Amino acid sequence: MRKILLVEDDLSLGQTILDLLEVNLFKVKWCKTGYEALHFLEHSTPDAIVCDLMMPIMNGEELFLKTRTISRLDKIPFIVITANITSEMKIRQLENGVNDYLTKPFKIQELILKIKNIIKFAAKLTVVNNQKIEITTLKLKKKNFLEMLNNIIEKNMHLPLDIDVLAAKLYVSKSTLYKKIKKLTNCNTTQYVREYKIQYAIKLIEEGETNVQTLADNTGFGSLSYFSVCFKRYARVSPKKYIQTFLAN
């Protein structure tokens, strides 16, 4: 059941709106002043607020602006109702960020439809925002894990691959490390580290290194022949041929 905060100082109109909203299966809290509503909002979060604009002490505009300074309340749909409103006042309310307004006298069915539509829209917007947050969070998790992994590989680039050490530095088991790398890159641990090392070797070539043995030593390969095999498997050409092509260009 959707919860509505009704703020209306006119007892007759307030009672009418309350009764008809409850008939339409809304749970309604009726406050007769802006201060009473603000006190209620200190511990409650309704799905929408329907508020008279012209009220003594704290009017609807003041209440609206106060709700927008509180993060828990600043996205609650807010509908203003008023007897007299000039074009300038309408524009000011919309500029403030009020979601909608009704001019008295109005049909209750119109108010009910506005409430339903605005709540439905807010719910869809929340779902979309949550999905964006989840996607962003997943991307950050992926980015953070791979950044940590790559940093460890780079700091130990000149050493032979040791998966046990790599897993320990990431505070995960070897099986967890394998699963994470496989999920994020579709490579097994050995393949990922080996290809990262070859990419590093290519970077060294592009920075001016032309000695294949030095490339093998700086990337932690146990032998020149193994380095050459891995390089050719990745780059489709031998390291020597890659260097010649790079220098020629």
Side-chain angles (χ1 to χ4, degrees), residues 33-34 70 73 85 90 109 152-153 189 194 204 225 240:
T33 69
I70 303 170
L73 307 175
I85 187 168
K90 285 181 182 179
Q109 186 61 26
I152 293 170
I153 296 172
T189 307
R194 183 174 63 234
L204 292 178
S225 59
K240 186 176 181 179

Side-chain angles (χ1 to χ4, degrees), residues 188-209:
N188 61 44
T189 307
T190 302
Q191 179 187 359
Y192 181 84
V193 176
R194 183 174 63 234
E195 291 185 355
Y196 193 88
K197 285 173 173 284
I198 296 300
Q199 291 168 6
Y200 186 79
I202 291 173
K203 180 182 176 183
L204 292 178
I205 292 172
E206 293 172 350
E207 290 176 352
E209 182 57 64

Side-chain angles (χ1 to χ4, degrees), residues 5 14 112 134 164 185 214 221:
L5 171 60
I112 290 170
E134 288 174 4
D164 288 314
T185 69
T214 301
F221 282 86

